Amino acid sequence: ISENAVSGPSSMYGHGYAAQFFAQAYGMVRDDELGAKLKDGLKKAVVLIESTQNQFGGWNSSPNANLTDDGSGAVAIMQITALRAAESCGVSVRNKIIEKSKKYLLEMTNEQGWYAYNYNSRGHGNSAATTGAGMYMIGALNLHENPKYAKGIKNLMSSCPFIKGAGNPQGWGATGGWNWYYYTCFYASLAIFQHGGNEWSQWYPAMAAELLRQQKKEGNWDDPYGGVFTGLAVLSLELPY
């Protein structure tokens, strides 16, 4: 969105979040002048995302389409989320960008339903953190009839540390480690919320109880990253609202 927003090691990841915020704000404001500024910023953000999609259909951690998917699969998730949000509030997105990203999402997910860290690490490792992000967007882009999606949702449920009979109190399941706990909780919760049904009915009460148990008396969560984990915990809790 600005030169400052797309510099640093997580530049495109942050850009995706910022673009999504612009879309949400644009959809809520009632001031015409502010709305026009937000829409103009959102259009520019979309153009940058469209122009930096790499050869595989994902995005890199920096705004450089020529790199070979150096960023995590979650970088791509945030760009696709932002594009979907922009389209929902009337900003056009090139269809070929969306179709290429759908192909990327399915190629990033192996036959067992695990979503990879990046394109070059496909087939290696079973991560609930990346799988939560991948299944969320596969569902959001109406790819839920693909058999990989059902397997991915099952992986999230079976590895979850707060679902009875799945993981354990240390935050690790039998497969699909939850070592990035709040990050994993946020993306997995998005995926299960998008999926809905009995899985969400089982997931949310257990997740909410566990997060509230972990909350500090000051209102924050154990957070060495200056508020990021606290933000992810709050975002996970507010999903039904």
Side-chain angles (χ1 to χ4, degrees), residues 13 69 71-78 104-105 108-110 113-119 121-138 149 152-153 155-156 159 175-191:
Y13 193 58
D69 205 45
S72 80
V75 174
I77 295 300
M78 286 318 305
Y104 173 84
L105 290 171
M108 285 280 286
T109 308
N110 67 19
W114 295 105
Y115 182 83
Y117 177 75
N118 62 25
Y119 199 84
S121 65
R122 290 169 300 150
H124 302 286
N126 301 334
S127 169
T130 55
T131 298
M135 293 311 106
Y136 158 56
M137 196 44 57
I138 285 176
Y149 175 70
I153 295 296
N155 288 336
L156 296 176
S159 67
T175 57
W178 277 58
N179 47 327
W180 289 86
Y181 188 88
Y182 298 103
Y183 176 95
T184 305
C185 182
F186 171 59
Y187 280 109
S189 295
L190 277 171

Side-chain angles (χ1 to χ4, degrees), residues 31-48:
D31 181 281
D32 291 342
E33 183 178 354
L34 178 57
K37 290 180 179 178
L38 285 167
K39 188 174 185 180
D40 181 62
L42 180 58
K43 285 181 176 179
K44 291 176 181 177
V46 166
V47 169
L48 176 63

Side-chain angles (χ1 to χ4, degrees), residues 8 55 72 76 100 114 116 140-141 156-157 174 180 210 221 227:
Q55 60 182 304
S72 80
K100 193 174 178 180
W114 295 105
L141 292 183
L156 296 176
M157 295 296 293
W180 289 86
E210 179 62 16
W221 278 261

Side-chain angles (χ1 to χ4, degrees), residues 80-109:
I80 301 168
T81 301
L83 293 178
R84 183 171 179 264
E87 204 167 42
S88 295
C89 59
V91 174
S92 62
V93 176
R94 287 155 56 193
N95 187 61
K96 75 172 187 178
I97 302 294
I98 299 299
E99 292 305 311
K100 193 174 178 180
S101 68
K102 287 180 180 180
K103 183 174 180 287
Y104 173 84
L105 290 171
L106 293 177
E107 288 181 347
M108 285 280 286
T109 308

